[in-house]
Amino acid sequence: MVKILVTGAGGFIGSNLMNYLALDKTISIQGIDNNPRINNEYIINLDIKNIDKFAWQPDIIYHLAAQSKVQQSFDDPKQNAEDNAMGTLAVLEYARKQKCKVVYAGSASRHVNPASSPYATTKYMGETLCKMYKKCFGVDVEIARFYNVYGPNEYLHPTESNVIGIWRYNIENNLKCQIVGDGEQERDFIHVQDIVEGLVAIGDGISNHDDAWELGTGKTTNINDLATMFHEKYGTEFEWVNDQKGNVRKSKLINTDTYDKLGWKPKRKLVDYIMSL
């Protein structure tokens, strides 16, 4: 039986991955999370920086635990670095001792200036640590870069969510919805179930990547067009506000290695999800 450990198991992507893996009876799963939003019987409350206290020997670790919001990272860059960089270091050291594979949740922010935000810097540091452990210690590490993920269990909050989660929260609470900047920023939105299937393909795959497996659609939607979808669904009216630090102009899938070498392709469409809410 394959033993799989998921860090950040009570979060958005982690909870969807846990649900997916639980369907496979040939897998034994455990999850750790120090602040789970979604609980289940397989999740243990533990900070990843203390993962060495976890008495289990997994075959694969899906390392999803992280501070994941760009704007929030400006509020507490020290905590962001501790969680994203030092947390990843702890996971990699644990994997080195346990001799298990790691699939690390990278970020498309890798393709912008890493100094554009504390978040981008610390995710870049995480990727660099992964590559160092792979080269220097022979740890089997694969990096999966995510683009803009949406879907079931996404976090709904007025400031700490992604754009879809913020707008959904505001609509549910009769608050104004805002477009930051001119709204022409382009994002590669990808459904969380496509992400989960991509992660499993990377975890199961025999191919190694010198850089990272990219999980995106290769298509972009600008924020104004996303607002149009919300208006058609909810009748939402929007106001434009000043731009924010770290708000990149365009984020889009860079390479198709995951398509070409692992046979993974995204199946879900953003507009279908918005209309299904």
Side-chain angles (χ1 to χ4, degrees):
M1 181 170 283
V2 178
K3 297 168 72 175
I4 295 179
L5 173 62
V6 179
T7 74
F12 172 29
I13 298 172
S15 62
N16 280 279
L17 178 60
M18 292 285 286
N19 291 339
Y20 185 87
L21 294 173
L23 298 175
D24 189 338
K25 302 307 179 184
T26 68
I27 292 174
S28 175
I29 57 171
Q30 288 287 329
I32 61 175
D33 198 310
N34 69 332
N35 188 27
R37 292 189 296 106
I38 298 167
N39 293 290
N40 69 39
E41 60 184 307
Y42 301 110
I43 298 177
I44 296 170
N45 193 315
L46 182 69
D47 190 304
I48 55 169
K49 295 187 290 296
N50 298 319
I51 193 173
D52 59 323
K53 295 180 172 61
F54 188 65
W56 205 50
Q57 186 170 10
D59 299 297
I60 303 173
I61 301 173
Y62 288 98
H63 177 34
L64 308 179
Q67 296 285 342
S68 61
K69 301 299 180 290
V70 173
Q71 295 308 312
Q72 189 177 357
S73 73
F74 285 100
D75 298 332
D76 195 344
K78 182 175 181 290
Q79 188 64 54
N80 196 263
E82 289 177 355
D83 291 343
N84 291 1
M86 299 309 295
T88 296
L89 179 62
V91 170
L92 291 167
E93 183 61 14
Y94 176 83
R96 181 180 73 86
K97 293 176 179 177
Q98 299 288 354
K99 296 180 171 57
C100 59
K101 181 173 183 175
V102 177
V103 179
Y104 170 72
S107 168
S109 64
R110 170 66 180 81
H111 299 305
V112 302
N113 182 350
S116 64
S117 69
Y119 168 77
T121 297
T122 57
K123 293 303 287 184
Y124 176 78
M125 292 168 65
E127 288 198 10
T128 303
L129 287 167
C130 287
K131 291 175 181 178
M132 182 272 286
Y133 265 78
K134 189 172 189 175
K135 181 177 178 61
C136 295
F137 302 110
V139 177
D140 186 1
V141 184
E142 298 296 319
I143 298 168
R145 279 194 199 122
F146 302 163
Y147 284 77
N148 291 73
V149 189
Y150 66 90
N153 296 347
E154 63 192 349
Y155 188 31
L156 308 187
H157 190 275
T159 59
E160 297 177 6
S161 302
N162 60 25
V163 61
I164 293 176
I166 291 172
W167 289 355
R168 287 185 60 194
Y169 177 92
N170 287 357
I171 290 167
E172 290 181 7
N173 290 276
N174 297 314
L175 300 173
K176 284 186 177 180
C177 287
Q178 297 177 330
I179 296 173
V180 176
D182 62 10
E184 292 302 307
Q185 309 94 304
E186 297 179 52
R187 299 290 183 265
D188 189 335
F189 290 98
I190 180 165
H191 194 282
V192 67
Q193 193 63 30
D194 288 321
I195 289 286
V196 164
E197 292 168 6
L199 285 169
V200 171
I202 293 166
D204 292 345
I206 58 173
S207 295
N208 297 319
H209 205 296
D210 292 335
D211 184 33
W213 304 100
E214 305 232 335
L215 301 180
T217 67
K219 300 176 181 177
T220 61
T221 302
N222 71 40
I223 303 304
N224 288 326
D225 288 341
L226 178 65
T228 298
M229 296 180 200
F230 268 79
H231 179 75
E232 291 176 354
K233 170 67 178 181
Y234 295 105
T236 312
E237 299 297 333
F238 291 85
E239 62 179 6
W240 281 255
V241 298
N242 292 335
D243 208 350
Q244 297 172 335
K245 293 185 293 185
N247 189 15
V248 301
R249 295 301 297 173
K250 185 174 183 178
S251 179
K252 181 182 177 182
L253 180 77
I254 297 296
N255 71 61
T256 60
D257 293 342
T258 318
Y259 298 29
D260 302 334
K261 296 180 180 179
L262 297 182
W264 169 87
K265 288 187 178 179
K267 303 171 186 174
R268 289 92 180 166
K269 294 182 179 180
L270 175 62
V271 64
D272 293 339
Y273 175 70
I274 300 300
M275 294 305 150
S276 73
L277 294 173

